[in-house]
Amino acid sequence: MGDRLTTEPETIWDLEAEQAVLGTCMTVPYIVGHIRAALPEPRAFWRPQHQIVYAAILDLFDQDAPTDTVAVKDYLHRAKTLGQAGGHKYLLTLDRAALTAGDPAYHARIIVRHWRNRESIYQADRTIQELQTLDPDDGPDRLRALGERLLKAADDLAPNRPTADEDRFPRIDWKDAFATDFSEIDWLPGRFMERGQQAALVGDGKVGKSIFTLHWIWCAITGRPCLGDIRREPINVLYFDRENSLRDIVTRLTAFGATPDDLDVLHERFDYRLFPRFSGALNTSESAAAELLAIVAERPRDVVIFDTVSRYISGKENDSDTWLDLYSRIHAPLKGQGIASVRLDHFGKDTEKGSRGSSAKTQDVDHVWELTAYDEARGYSESVETVTTRLKMLRTHTRTGLGEEVFHVTRRGEKERGGAWLPGRTRHELTDSSTADAHRLKIQTYVDDLVMRGVPGGMGREALKKWARENRVSLPGKTEAISEIVAALKAAQKVAS
């Protein structure tokens, strides 16, 4: 196509972009589908040899064949077009031009933009040439025909042009809306989030968020009751993990009761992606977001898990734009498909202030749950150690207000003394209400004692600990319990004032 334009080539194409896109397709095969979505046709490339190489890559991709340099060379050799494509040495040049960072789909759109520019110039030049050869008497009619052709060409070149039947502004049908029964809440197992909702589970690094979540998933995919909920239909879970080792995952599932007899249900309902390598941050890279959504689309999904979410983003965690971008690229598409997600997150340096960047993070999810441990006891027999941990799962933010605000959970596990956790001996159960009440009474006893001793108002955890030492007032040893005392003390002093 290049010989039909008189414009200087450097103004209508980008050599580096064309080489980088082709090189990336040959070094990162799974990216081909996402680049193809932005760059569907080989003719968008300026260089004829690039058109030949890209056509070969797309054909190999359609055959589920590899698209690396060796495979492309073999394809072109068999098609007797290797020489036209520049030969083996030029394929190696393209391979070296592959992108090691950034967004390849963005570079593909550079190529498309130049192609649209060339096509526009070509259509305009062609029209001018035809007008110069017209009989003056036929001028008006031919000019109208040429104008219609230009309009059609402009429509064909328009990016992201909606189809005629695309409903971009759907109107509510009030009759159907009010005939729908919304009284039944479509809970996921455990009743801490509804189907299609987006939630955050926040806690410090030692509380066991991954263990809690994995046990919840184990119950949910096998139809077991969990967190005091009734048995529900098993769900399908997709888990992206950049925190835990394969040993962690298997030994924990074994501790929950999984055996080789459960491999079929694990394979069918639990898609676990360990240390996934997206081509960028999920909040900034369109290619990375497209990769994730393509994986989601491979099979039916009910829930997608991100462990830990900070490892999948770039930018400041206390910046609203970081989380709004993540919502627009990931959470909004999931929510639009009725797929729920849970992102695991860490507390900041001060657990009283919640998760890192919490003021920004609460904008884009339906619920924020904070998981804390407030008591742990160990018991020993001759060969077994029993560990009992009391957990509180508190909802700090919610869009709907439906469901419980707090779950008190007991995690019990048994392991060999100094060894591994025993198979089938670890579980999470709702704590008996009397136990939770006893804990709250214990916290309130500390608060009452502090108020009676004239503790100053507005203290944080460290300030309270210092004041208690100086005034010889006893406090519990656990940080989580002191945080609860600080929160309860602030509430009591606010009421008193």
Side-chain angles (χ1 to χ4, degrees), residues 104-124:
Y106 182 88
H107 298 78
R109 287 192 292 275
I110 294 176
I111 298 171
V112 172
R113 188 172 69 245
H114 283 297
W115 170 66
R116 291 196 185 101
N117 188 29
R118 294 196 302 271
E119 283 293 316
S120 299
I121 295 171
Y122 167 72
Q123 293 293 343

Side-chain angles (χ1 to χ4, degrees), residues 96-152:
R96 289 192 293 270
L99 297 166
T100 57
D103 187 350
Y106 182 88
H107 298 78
R109 287 192 292 275
I110 294 176
I111 298 171
V112 172
R113 188 172 69 245
H114 283 297
W115 170 66
R116 291 196 185 101
N117 188 29
R118 294 196 302 271
E119 283 293 316
S120 299
I121 295 171
Y122 167 72
Q123 293 293 343
D125 284 349
R126 180 182 173 189
T127 301
I128 292 171
Q129 292 172 12
E130 291 192 23
L131 285 172
Q132 290 173 341
T133 62
L134 290 179
D135 186 311
D137 293 336
D138 296 333
D141 291 338
R142 292 289 292 139
L143 186 59
R144 291 189 186 93
L146 291 171
E148 291 177 359
R149 191 178 72 191
L150 284 174
L151 288 173
K152 183 180 184 303

Side-chain angles (χ1 to χ4, degrees), residues 285-298:
S285 169
E286 289 189 13
S287 291
E291 290 164 7
L292 185 145
L293 295 175
I295 295 172
V296 171
E298 290 175 0

Side-chain angles (χ1 to χ4, degrees), residues 52 67-69 77 108 118 131 141 227 272 319-321 323 326 359 363 368 382 436 458 491:
I52 294 170
T67 60
D68 57 81
T69 310
H77 179 74
R118 294 196 302 271
L131 285 172
D141 291 338
L227 296 181
Y272 208 114
D319 189 338
S320 295
D321 288 344
W323 303 102
L326 181 66
S359 61
Q363 302 175 50
V368 177
E382 184 174 341

Side-chain angles (χ1 to χ4, degrees), residues 378-386 414-417 422:
R378 295 175 180 267
Y380 301 91
S381 66
E382 184 174 341
S383 59
V384 174
E385 177 183 357
T386 302
E414 295 181 1
K415 63 179 183 178
E416 299 173 358
R417 295 192 65 167
L422 297 174

Side-chain angles (χ1 to χ4, degrees), residues 188-191 215-234 427-430:
L188 290 174
R191 291 173 59 91
H215 189 232
W216 170 68
I217 291 171
W218 169 243
C219 295
I221 66 174
T222 56
R224 288 174 167 84
C226 59
L227 296 181
D229 192 13
I230 60 174
R231 292 180 182 271
R232 297 183 182 273
E233 286 294 315
R427 60 194 182 278
H428 293 80
E429 299 174 339
L430 281 187

